[in-house]
Amino acid sequence: MAMIHLEPQTAEMFSRALGALKPPPNLTLSQWADNYRRLSAEASAAQGRWNTDNAPFQREIMNAIGDVHIRKVVAMMCAQSGKTDGLILNTIGYYMSYYPAPIMIVQPTVNLGESFSKDRLATMIRDTPVLRGLVDNKSRYSGNTIMKKNFAGGQLTIVGANAPTDLRGRPIKVLLADEVDAYKASAGKEGDPVMLAEQRQTTYWDYKTVLVSTPTTKNNSRILDEFNASTQEEWTVPCPNCGFYQPFVWDNMVFDKDNWTAGGAQYRCAECGCLDNEYRWKKNSLQGKWHAEHPERPVRGFHMNKIGSTLCGWDKIVEDFIAADMDAKRGDYEKMQVFVNTDLGLPWEEPGETVEANNLLDRREFYEAEVPDGVVYLTAGVDTQDNRFEAEVVGWGIGKESWGIRYQRIYGDLKRGQVWADLDDFLSKTWKKKDGTELSLRCVCMDSGGHFPDQVIRFCKEREERHIWPIKGRGGMDVPYLRNPTKNNRVGGELFTLGVDTGKNHVLARLKVLIKGPNYCHFPAAEDAGYDENYFKMLTAEHKVTRWKSGRKVERWELKDPAQKRNEAFDVRNYATAALEISNPPGLEIPGEEAPRQTAPRQYRRRRSGGI
């Protein structure tokens, strides 16, 4: 076969044409960044070519984002860990130039979205040659704006999580949600902003969702919830002495708080116990690897703190802790929360006064009778729900030692009379001691703050001679426990105002008493008494937390876990305690003990009928 001779110019032309048809090299996201990304002077202290080896912990996260088989990546990161440059901007550049697709970036607010576009995105496009010609910002026909960039094969849209209309609309393949813990719970009235944005990905089989954030508080952290449902991966580095791979945890940091600069900060190996300095530990970072707690899960989740980050020094971390610790000793936890969130990359859990459910469950006891001999008076509290009443009968002895007698749920439609009759039967019941003595309820407090206030007040008004009183709770640590009743309601019945937070303080103080005697709380072990595991979870569902707002100390009661929304047992015990204070029976006070009631209510005597 004869050889075809081409002129040099023609051969060069064919070479260029065939080169244009050649598929691009198969690059991971981190390889793309190392080859093409340039750091801008305005956004980085080290401008120039990107090098993933400077932050080796980012490599696996970036490659997971670029992996076509992974649908979602979650990164719960400390501050100064390269979240924006490494995970957000590199992903944008990768999909714009190498794997074009419709992209959406969600920032906490529209204003932050504009700042991101001007300060970070625009400078990356300007200084990264492979991206520079992809976006036409000069032509008025290009359709490009601050919040929208068109490029061949796709477009980039920047929205605020507070703008619900922007979260709906055109389909997107790649969703990048930045600082998700700063998002409001709902985008206007339309629901969770992350879920709204994810709905736009349903038309793509190979969609990609990336959620990135520094966590905030444990009870309100989106990124924590997402991380808990993921592979839960931690960055591990081998010990300089024994080679054992381990994650960096704050408990293994060793330094002298009073004179820490003299010896510096060191880290103790969890395996061999050897101490080594920051240089020797971080020298092994290139051999570091991610360890997954749940490798079988489809969502890749990563957690990173500053101790293991090659972008931060240990000296600054220790300084942050010492400053926060000094304030925490004075009861101001604001700096400690910042340290936990931004340095450790962990959610903050408010320190609170509480008791543990299991401790109370384990101290249940068998009574010799329905009512123990130490009980002198009985009171009850009733909580009103839409489909039931929850009531507790509590016995009181000398020194206000208490015994739980019965926790009862009475189910029924509160719009019908039967459930009210059942409640009346329960409150009319007498309770027996071992010697056969029968005790009736001396006083009852019933919550009127639900959806049936008039019915509750009317029910109680008809039973005032039995000392069954409606109460209306009022929050605030400075609100007195009890105030004299008023008839300022539509029914005209006596209504007590109860300082619920003050009352919870008294209940907690008694639950924390460990020695049987004054103020100690007993609980029955009998199955039919109603004091099961669920009861104690409700009784301990809240804790008292202390926060500092603008230099002012603020205390309040909060749920420990939002998932445990049931706290009726705590409320009902509070009402039963208030009933004791309203009745104010003689002989229970310990000499010298201050009564919790700050404003004494009027005393009520049993009314006698004059006959016919």
Side-chain angles (χ1 to χ4, degrees), residues 402-423:
S402 66
W403 286 261
I405 304 299
R406 177 69 62 84
Y407 191 85
Q408 185 78 31
R409 292 184 181 88
I410 304 171
Y411 288 94
D413 185 354
L414 269 64
K415 295 178 182 178
R416 300 180 179 274
Q418 184 59 50
V419 69
W420 296 90
D422 294 342
L423 174 64

Side-chain angles (χ1 to χ4, degrees), residues 112-173:
L112 287 174
E114 292 179 354
S115 297
F116 172 82
S117 179
K118 295 175 183 177
D119 301 336
R120 307 303 296 273
L121 179 61
T123 55
M124 179 186 74
I125 294 174
R126 180 198 67 197
D127 296 329
T128 302
V130 73
L131 302 177
R132 196 177 298 150
L134 296 181
V135 178
D136 179 10
N137 287 319
K138 296 180 180 180
S139 171
R140 63 177 179 175
Y141 301 107
S142 66
N144 290 319
T145 64
I146 293 175
M147 304 295 278
K148 183 181 178 183
K149 310 291 182 184
N150 292 319
F151 54 88
Q155 71 274 338
L156 173 66
T157 306
I158 305 171
V159 302
N162 60 340
T165 55
D166 294 336
L167 293 169
R168 294 182 281 105
R170 302 176 65 180
I172 57 169
K173 180 176 178 177

Side-chain angles (χ1 to χ4, degrees), residues 265-482:
Q266 295 181 302
Y267 192 83
R268 187 188 306 279
C269 174
E271 180 70 11
C272 67
C274 292
L275 287 173
D276 255 308
N277 58 33
E278 180 178 11
Y279 171 77
R280 281 178 53 81
W281 275 100
K282 289 189 177 178
K283 187 175 67 172
N284 289 344
S285 291
L286 288 176
Q287 287 78 50
K289 58 186 179 182
W290 288 95
H291 172 74
E293 186 70 20
H294 297 282
E296 74 283 358
R297 293 177 179 173
V299 177
R300 295 289 298 273
F302 303 88
H303 167 249
M304 186 69 194
N305 61 40
K306 281 187 179 180
I307 306 173
S309 173
T310 51
L311 305 177
C312 311
W314 286 359
D315 288 355
K316 181 62 169 63
I317 301 172
V318 172
E319 289 175 4
D320 290 345
F321 171 78
I322 292 174
D325 187 56
M326 291 177 62
D327 286 353
K329 289 178 179 178
R330 297 194 296 266
D332 185 350
Y333 292 97
E334 283 187 331
K335 287 184 179 178
M336 186 58 76
Q337 178 178 350
V338 173
F339 171 79
V340 171
N341 290 162
T342 62
D343 287 63
L344 301 185
L346 293 172
W348 170 254
E349 183 174 9
E350 291 283 358
E353 292 187 58
T354 186
V355 289
E356 296 301 324
N358 288 337
N359 293 341
L360 298 178
L361 179 68
D362 291 343
R363 78 185 200 194
R364 289 181 300 175
E365 57 195 271
F366 285 99
Y367 300 162
E368 292 185 349
E370 197 172 38
V371 178
D373 286 340
V375 174
V376 181
Y377 303 103
L378 295 178
T379 66
V382 181
D383 184 65
T384 307
Q385 298 292 320
D386 288 346
N387 66 339
R388 69 190 183 281
F389 296 112
E390 302 221 2
E392 183 183 23
V393 176
V394 180
W396 302 91
I398 304 301
K400 297 185 179 177
E401 187 173 4
S402 66
W403 286 261
I405 304 299
R406 177 69 62 84
Y407 191 85
Q408 185 78 31
R409 292 184 181 88
I410 304 171
Y411 288 94
D413 185 354
L414 269 64
K415 295 178 182 178
R416 300 180 179 274
Q418 184 59 50
V419 69
W420 296 90
D422 294 342
L423 174 64
D424 186 51
D425 289 343
F426 179 78
L427 299 179
S428 301
K429 178 179 169 61
T430 58
W431 309 83
K432 288 186 179 181
K433 286 189 168 186
K434 183 179 180 181
D435 61 3
T437 302
E438 294 187 359
L439 297 181
S440 59
L441 296 176
R442 185 179 183 91
C443 186
V444 178
C445 281
M446 185 173 180
D447 174 36
S448 67
H451 294 151
F452 302 90
D454 292 347
Q455 292 91 324
V456 169
I457 297 173
R458 187 176 296 109
F459 176 87
C460 294
K461 182 180 180 181
E462 295 170 355
R463 294 160 180 79
E464 286 183 356
E465 74 281 355
R466 289 161 53 190
H467 300 167
I468 298 177
W469 307 111
I471 57 98
K472 184 174 179 61
R474 182 180 172 191
M477 295 294 182
D478 57 344
V479 177
Y481 192 21
L482 286 168

Side-chain angles (χ1 to χ4, degrees), residues 29 114 155 182 189 223 234 238 331 363 419 451 542 564 581:
L29 200 154
E114 292 179 354
Q155 71 274 338
K189 298 181 180 179
I223 199 69
E234 297 281 349
R363 78 185 200 194
V419 69
H451 294 151
E542 297 183 47
Q564 172 64 29
E581 300 306 322

Side-chain angles (χ1 to χ4, degrees), residues 503-543:
K504 287 176 180 179
N505 291 341
H506 297 308
V507 174
L508 174 64
R510 286 177 173 143
L511 292 174
K512 292 169 70 174
V513 174
L514 300 178
I515 301 174
K516 293 182 179 180
N519 290 317
Y520 183 84
C521 299
H522 300 261
F523 298 100
E527 291 185 6
D528 60 352
Y531 293 84
D532 54 12
E533 183 178 0
N534 185 54
Y535 167 84
F536 291 103
K537 286 182 178 179
M538 292 193 297
L539 185 64
T540 59
E542 297 183 47
H543 62 169

